[in-house]
Amino acid sequence: MEIKVFDSPEEIASVCADEFTALLTSKENCVLGLATGASPVPTYKELVRRYNAGVISFKHASSFNLDEYVELPRNDKNSYYTFMHENLFNSVDIDEANVHILNGNAEDTAKECADFDAAIEAAGGIDIQLLGIGTNGHIGFNEPSSSFSDGTFKVKLTDSTIKSNSIYFTENAMPRYALTMGIQSIMKAKKIVLIATGASKAEAVKNAVKGEVTPMCPASVLQNHPNCIFLLDTAAASLLG
């Protein structure tokens, strides 16, 4: 695990975009693992800027998103389908046929999850996985638990996650369930880049980096990944010593 600390989210975005740029320019048909939330937005803005400048192309790339809410319409402003299109996909040349976002409205969510994992495998596995981290140490929607999850699955969200995310749900109630890539699925990625900014993430970052590897802090499992980078601002890194 490599730790890099920066003064601003913009610096983090530039370094994170460098990782994606290196992959997109060296492997046209690369497979991207993407995340939502506030942390990756500056990175997506920088990737759009580089696309517009002719530095990178997503034309032959594939993408798989970490998670999606259950029973939230895809066109809802808070769906991760909408988030990804507004923040990245609508502004670059990615082929919509190569965009994979879990369908939280699927009749058979178990089949939806199994098909998603099969599609990742068929694509050759994820080359680079972007992650954020929750205040409780979750990655994707893998909440603190008694054991590490395996493949993609349906999860009941914890009260702390609902509290953190409900600020975005001003017009309707936040869903209580989500579909998410499991820990084992995430750990299969060839490279992982985790972004964390702000003092509210400092405790989770400390537990993930310096604590024991435990499913009670899902992100701690990243200590066992052979190619993982944490990109932190000074506030998020403040408890690392």
Side-chain angles (χ1 to χ4, degrees):
M1 181 185 288
E2 185 178 1
I3 310 297
K4 296 184 178 182
V5 182
F6 303 89
D7 292 327
S8 70
E10 290 73 26
E11 288 179 272
I12 291 174
S14 180
V15 172
C16 189
D18 285 346
E19 297 286 344
F20 278 81
T21 298
L23 178 62
L24 287 161
T25 53
S26 64
K27 184 180 179 182
E28 277 192 339
N29 64 336
C30 61
V31 182
L32 311 176
L34 302 178
T36 54
S39 298
V41 169
T43 295
Y44 293 150
K45 286 182 178 177
E46 177 60 16
L47 289 173
V48 169
R49 187 194 70 77
R50 294 185 189 194
Y51 165 74
N52 288 331
V55 177
I56 55 175
S57 170
F58 294 78
K59 189 174 182 179
H60 302 291
S62 299
S63 72
F64 290 85
N65 257 76
L66 273 172
D67 42 31
E68 179 59 285
Y69 291 113
V70 167
E71 295 181 358
L72 188 68
R74 277 200 153 183
N75 62 358
D76 189 278
K77 68 176 185 177
N78 289 310
S79 78
Y80 290 156
Y81 178 91
T82 296
F83 176 98
M84 288 307 308
H85 284 80
E86 289 183 347
N87 286 282
L88 183 63
F89 298 150
N90 290 347
S91 301
V92 298
D93 61 344
I94 195 164
D95 184 343
E96 188 68 27
N98 293 332
V99 169
H100 302 85
I101 300 176
L102 284 155
N103 179 8
N105 297 290
E107 266 188 47
D108 186 341
T109 54
K111 183 178 185 301
E112 175 70 12
C113 292
D115 289 349
F116 191 76
D117 285 335
I120 292 174
E121 203 160 316
I126 291 172
D127 291 302
I128 186 169
Q129 177 66 60
L130 182 60
L131 296 176
I133 185 171
T135 54
N136 62 3
H138 76 226
I139 48 177
F141 274 131
N142 290 277
E143 303 282 21
S145 176
S146 59
S147 60
F148 288 117
S149 55
D150 295 323
T152 302
F153 69 110
K154 181 178 178 179
V155 61
K156 183 177 182 180
L157 303 178
T158 62
D159 290 342
S160 64
T161 294
I162 290 169
K163 181 179 178 181
S164 296
N165 290 15
S166 61
I167 59 171
Y168 302 111
F169 288 82
T170 56
E171 297 173 8
N172 52 336
M174 180 180 160
R176 267 36 186 176
Y177 291 86
L179 304 183
T180 184
M181 285 173 59
I183 293 295
Q184 190 178 92
S185 299
I186 292 169
M187 289 292 283
K188 286 179 180 178
K190 300 175 183 73
K191 185 168 197 171
I192 293 176
V193 180
L194 184 147
I195 295 174
T197 57
S200 66
K201 301 296 178 73
E203 185 72 24
V205 167
K206 182 188 78 169
N207 292 336
V209 173
K210 292 198 162 188
E212 66 172 313
V213 176
T214 168
M216 291 306 297
C217 177
S220 66
V221 75
L222 299 175
Q223 294 178 34
N224 295 332
H225 194 278
N227 192 6
C228 178
I229 304 172
F230 275 47
L231 303 180
L232 313 171
D233 68 1
T234 51
S238 61
L239 299 181
L240 293 181

